[in-house]
């Protein structure tokens, strides 16, 4: 089956979620990928949303991180202060799963403003949401975003979130992880993506291993499961 | 004791120009009807507080009610940008809006501190981010036992908090369920509070997962069926997702926005 | 994932000599069966933590399990003194027990800090009292925003917390309701936890006022019908008040106490 | 009707609770008096117990402050951290209602130890419980205890709790309040109690006004209501 680059990105992100892990699902594409993982290789993935739903098992893709289906299917529903204090901050989350508008060479995340002047930004983004504490308190972080020279930058315009544990960055072109010195480096190229294309879509001089691994293309099962989620996907966060 | 009031009277009584006003509801039970009444009554110079200033605050900002916004995430959930919010921040239309931004954890703890009668709360957060430079309401604090450095956030004490709930009884006891968010903390942190409700009932029968606010912490209740539309009220109606999608186009254009406000709220912008 | 174990195995696996052990349950759902098993297994040198060390801790102290007690109120609720507790403190029988005492608010916040992964919590409390002089786990702290002086209490992190609940499912998800006290915080603050339950069911249907602990924070579940007796389990059985009254006489006398332990627990003191 | 001194104390304490007030009911005799008040002049008294029950309306006297009837009849049941932080500490309680083992000239309360040596006390008492914060955070405090030279002392052996607002002390002999300088002084004598008797049952040189007021004896209605509570009273806290 043919697939789009967005489908590849979503499938690659879903694969990074191991079965049984406790995953704090941030706003954006992460919710689609986490729900795909639950329908494919990770039926026991524990989905935790910042709306206070722990162990949600939605039968359709939620329209927002506070969709009623999350409360109806959760093991427990708690208040927002509690979800951040007792569940996230206390270190009970294995994987923090985030979107981003920009990420930089050192893995800093920006979801606040584009432009040099905070008070008069070129683009005002939504802001932090749960991301700073998801990035800081999860045992590891997965960040998904579309890659371009404007989103993969030398230095973000605003540091909204800093990942404190092992980090995996998944884009429409490939997969990246920090090297020993903390600089983001390519580890996998998605099918059909050249090293050259990944370099061109990166705002710094990208480190590429001698022989980057290749992401396996989406399987028929993965694509079918993803597309079964699709009817409501446009509206999902 | 709680006053049972028509919504216009409740807004007129509780909310004044220049007040710090929090409308809360985390995706669920967003008090849209109350927000619309604030626009109709042309409140000005408000400091608007809300973790997730979504469409309702886009409307208030576009209508010129806001002087300042205290928040942690401003977007149209599941859709994209808030265009009125962006127009105010990027272009100063209809006026400049001062921003004080936090993380969700920071905002939730600020409300919890306010509800607890404490001047601050402690969390692990903000470390290494540029958020700390942008407000005086975040500061490092040292643990007196271990010497660890943590983050303190100042308590939030809104003049008025407005929330929407499924039900109240005739005495003004309030019950809400489903995703209950930060509503209890936002109500208890405020000096006054207004609760709009889907139903007024004789008795609040217990419900799994329900939060109950006793009448003596509720200043006023207003009966507003569908008062959370286009968001949803668990057990009453679903989110009107078409509206959220349509809002993207309406709010992109200043004229289209003004026309919508005129047509749907009967208010001039 | 949660282990479903017979109570003796669960106590043997989770609780070792010298551990810091919290048995919680605020008048309701007191884990008596687990306490009795700790006595049978002759655990020694425990630091026993509990807001209200009532009859169950009187038994543990009298049986010689305790080296230290961390608490806020030690009495036989509704009856009077805890005679084994008093005998240990006043006369060192069967051994001296070190005391660290707090207020209820202090203990509750210490558990909440532990559950939150913070080294301390902040409250208004202890000011002007002699409690501050008796422990290093309470200290003044200054608000970085207002300069107000408040009180910090150190987080509690028990090695093991034991609670009793009405139900668990076969995966080890736990549900308790009625007065839920500080159990959630005590479980989440601990490194390991054991939950004894009245029933193991196929599915946990939602209940008004219920607290649910997901299986992945529960180390072990043991099926112990009437495991909270002589305290009560809301919806299952009432408090055996005659026992609380009878305990006064049993516990006043060292011989009578030892006889009761021998007869009812099959354990030597 | 004849009445005992304990009945007089309980009735006097109940009368001090005005209708509609939010009353945080500590362990001991306060629960009996608060429930009596609800059955007599203060049907809208809001009873708050440290077990987390707000607006409890028990139809019988609770056996403990965590009796199931409190949860069944409450407007709301919350956790113990919440009851202390959001409800008591935040200043939402009008009247904190406490028992005590000792009280001193300056109104300090002791429920911890009797004797000079904390580590080897003559009598080990239960300890603080909720009292320090009830005393400090309620708008006013009512303290009930039996009066004797051992309970009404120059200086308590241990300061467990300090009342921060207006305070009323109600004993089996009379009613006391702090003077302007903070020293507890007699305001009312219960029926049949002489000034001399109150002085003898006090460990310091008691201030007595020129003409102390007299507590009205329990009415028939009050006694009947109290005795209707009585069958389970012995076991109540």
């Amino acid at each position: 089956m043919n697939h789009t680059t967005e489908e590849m990105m979503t499938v690659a992100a879903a694969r990074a979620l191991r079965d049984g892990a406790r995953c704090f699902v941030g706003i954006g594409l992460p919710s689609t990928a986490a729900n795909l993982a639950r329908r494919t290789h990770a039926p026991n993935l524990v989905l935790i949303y910042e709306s206070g739903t722990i162990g949600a098992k939605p039968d359709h893709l939620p329209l927002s991180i506070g969709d009623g289906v999350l409360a109806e299917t959760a093991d427990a529903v708690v208040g927002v202060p509690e979800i951040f204090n007792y569940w996230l901050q206390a270190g009970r989350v294995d994987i923090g799963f985030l979107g981003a508008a920009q990420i930089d060479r050192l893995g800093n995340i920006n979801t606040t403003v584009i432009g040099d002047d905070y008070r008069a930004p070129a683009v005002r983004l939504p802001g932090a949401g749960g991301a700073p504490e998801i990035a800081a308190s999860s045992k590891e972080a997965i960040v998904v975003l579309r890659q371009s020279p404007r989103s993969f930058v030398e230095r973000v315009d605003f540091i909204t979130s800093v990942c404190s544990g092992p980090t995996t960055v998944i884009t429409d072109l490939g997969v990246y992880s920090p090297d020993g010195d903390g600089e983001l480096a390519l580890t996998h190229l998605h099918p059909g993506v050249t090293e050259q294309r990944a370099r061109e879509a990166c705002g710094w001089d990208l480190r590429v291993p001698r022989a980057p691994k290749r992401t396996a293309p989406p399987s028929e099962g993965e694509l079918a499961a993803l597309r079964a989620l699709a009817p409501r996907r446009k509206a999902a966060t | 004791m709680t006053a049972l009031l028509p919504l216009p009277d409740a807004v007129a009584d509780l909310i004044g120009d220049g007040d710090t006003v929090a409308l809360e509801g985390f995706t669920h039970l967003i008090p849209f009807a109350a927000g619309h009444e604030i626009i109709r009554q042309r409140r000005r110079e408000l400091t608007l507080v809300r973790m997730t200033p979504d469409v309702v605050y886009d409307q208030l900002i576009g209508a010129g009610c806001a002087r300042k916004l205290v928040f942690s995430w401003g977007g149209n959930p599941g859709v994209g940008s808030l265009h009125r919010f962006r127009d105010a921040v990027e272009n100063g239309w209809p006026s400049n809006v001062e921003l004080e931004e936090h993380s969700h954890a920071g905002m939730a703890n600020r409300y919890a501190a306010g509800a607890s009668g404490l001047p601050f709360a402690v969390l692990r957060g903000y470390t290494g981010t540029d958020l700390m430079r942008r407000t005086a309401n975040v500061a490092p604090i040292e643990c007196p036992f271990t010497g660890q450095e943590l983050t303190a956030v100042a308590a939030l004490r809104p003049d008025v908090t407005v929330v929407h709930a499924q039900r109240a009884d005739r005495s003004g006891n309030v019950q809400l369920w489903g995703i209950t968010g930060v509503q209890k903390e936002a109500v208890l942190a405020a000096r006054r509070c207004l609760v709009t409700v889907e139903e007024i009932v004789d008795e609040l029968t217990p419900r799994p997962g329900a939060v109950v606010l006793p009448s003596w912490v509720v200043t006023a209740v207003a009966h507003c069926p569908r008062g959370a539309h286009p968001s949803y009220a668990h057990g009453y109606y679903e989110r009107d997702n078409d509206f959220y999608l349509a809002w993207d186009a309406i709010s992109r254009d200043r004229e289209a926005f003004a026309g919508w406000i005129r047509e749907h709220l009967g208010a001039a912008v």
Side-chain angles (χ1 to χ4, degrees), chain A, chain B:
Chain A
M1 273 200 269
N2 283 328
H3 62 268
T4 66
T5 56
E6 170 144 341
E7 284 174 333
M8 182 70 254
M9 174 164 67
T10 308
V11 166
R15 285 176 189 158
L17 304 173
R18 61 187 175 283
D19 198 21
R22 278 88 77 162
C23 179
F24 202 105
V25 186
I27 203 159
L29 182 137
S31 184
T32 307
N35 279 285
L36 174 61
R38 255 198 8 102
R39 277 165 180 70
T40 52
H41 67 284
N44 299 308
L45 187 68
V46 178
L47 304 187
I48 304 174
Y49 286 83
E50 63 197 17
S51 54
T53 51
I54 300 172
K57 293 166 278 288
D59 56 6
H60 61 264
L61 204 56
L63 286 173
S64 79
I65 50 141
D67 195 306
V69 73
L70 300 176
E72 279 157 14
T73 61
D75 293 325
V77 181
V78 302
V80 168
E82 179 178 327
I83 199 76
F84 283 103
N85 292 344
Y86 288 5
W87 299 88
L88 177 61
Q89 178 175 267
R92 291 178 225 284
V93 169
D94 297 316
I95 302 175
F97 198 177
L98 297 165
Q102 279 188 332
I103 194 164
D104 69 17
R105 193 166 186 157
L106 295 175
N108 297 306
I109 292 171
N110 176 18
T111 55
T112 303
V113 288
I114 304 289
D116 292 336
D117 184 351
Y118 172 78
R119 301 211 176 272
V123 182
R124 175 64 226 196
L125 300 166
E133 286 79 23
I134 297 173
S137 291
S138 302
K139 287 177 195 143
E140 62 179 286
I142 297 174
V143 184
V144 286
L145 76 167
R146 291 197 153 272
Q147 187 182 337
S148 79
R150 288 185 313 282
S151 68
F152 255 51
V153 295
E154 175 71 32
R155 193 174 148 66
V156 290
D157 295 332
F158 189 99
I159 301 177
T160 314
S161 305
V162 182
C163 300
S164 64
T167 304
T168 306
V169 179
I170 297 170
T171 76
D172 48 334
L173 303 182
V175 181
Y176 302 80
S177 277
D179 266 355
D181 61 356
E183 177 170 324
L184 271 191
L186 181 79
T187 63
H188 295 69
L189 285 168
H190 292 335
V193 177
T194 62
E195 186 184 313
Q196 179 62 14
R197 175 130 174 259
R199 283 188 192 283
E200 282 168 7
C202 180
W204 69 90
D205 184 15
L206 182 67
R207 286 186 198 163
V208 177
R210 218 149 297 170
K213 292 178 201 144
R214 278 282 164 190
T215 312
S219 70
E220 288 196 23
E222 286 169 330
L223 278 181
L226 176 57
R227 289 170 188 174
L229 287 172
R232 301 182 75 165
R233 186 156 58 100
K234 186 158 185 287
T237 61
Chain B
M1 284 292 111
T2 313
L4 292 182
L5 295 174
L7 179 60
D9 298 4
V11 167
D13 285 5
L14 268 67
I15 304 177
D17 288 349
D19 277 354
T20 295
V21 181
L23 273 66
E24 279 297 349
F26 203 84
T27 309
H28 177 216
L29 292 175
I30 300 174
F32 269 93
H36 293 167
E37 186 59 29
I38 293 170
I39 292 173
R40 270 189 218 102
Q41 296 195 14
R42 300 183 62 76
R43 285 290 170 283
R44 288 296 178 267
E45 297 287 315
L46 301 179
T47 292
L48 292 176
V49 183
R50 177 165 168 75
M51 291 182 65
T52 53
D54 38 34
V55 171
V56 66
Y57 272 28
D58 211 34
Q59 295 171 348
L60 283 156
I61 291 166
C65 304
R67 185 187 71 73
K68 182 176 175 182
L69 183 65
V70 181
F71 76 109
S72 38
W73 191 86
N76 182 342
V79 180
S81 284
L82 291 179
H83 300 293
R84 296 297 91 226
F85 162 64
R86 285 185 56 182
D87 203 13
V89 175
E90 296 170 10
N91 310 308
W93 192 92
S95 59
N96 283 308
V97 173
E98 186 188 336
L99 298 185
E100 178 182 329
E101 59 186 304
H102 291 268
S103 65
H104 277 352
M107 285 289 284
N109 277 291
R110 296 186 68 199
Y111 279 125
S116 299
L118 292 175
F120 70 104
V122 177
L123 73 159
R124 290 184 200 281
Y126 294 82
T127 311
T129 76
D130 287 335
L131 292 163
M132 292 207 67
R133 295 192 287 116
R134 294 292 166 191
T135 166
N137 284 325
V138 180
I141 192 166
E142 189 179 288
C143 171
F145 308 107
T146 64
Q148 278 182 70
E149 190 173 298
L150 297 130
T151 301
V153 287
L156 266 172
R157 294 293 317 273
D159 294 309
V160 194
T161 286
V162 182
V163 300
H164 187 74
Q166 281 99 335
R167 310 197 297 192
D169 66 18
R170 290 176 209 289
S171 309
N173 297 296
V174 166
Q175 190 186 42
L176 59 153
W177 64 89
I179 287 171
T180 54
V182 76
Q183 280 99 308
K184 180 188 275 190
E185 288 75 14
V187 164
L188 295 181
R191 291 175 175 82
R192 307 183 288 283
C193 80
L194 164 61
V195 184
T196 58
V197 296
E198 289 296 324
E199 275 194 283
I200 293 184
V201 297
D202 289 330
E203 198 188 351
L204 297 175
T205 47
R207 280 265 173 181
V211 164
V212 173
L213 300 168
S215 61
W216 47 276
V217 297
V218 176
T219 318
V221 163
H223 184 206
C224 298
R226 294 188 65 78
H229 176 271
S231 80
Y232 72 105
H234 205 121
Y236 287 75
Y237 46 89
E238 303 222 327
R239 164 167 152 141
D240 179 358
N241 204 47
D242 290 342
F243 181 88
Y244 281 84
L245 295 169
W247 185 252
D248 192 65
I250 295 164
S251 61
R252 253 179 220 279
D253 181 79
R254 292 177 186 171
E255 286 304 308
F257 167 75
W260 188 90
I261 293 284
R262 211 162 35 236
E263 182 182 342
H264 293 271
L265 307 189
V269 173

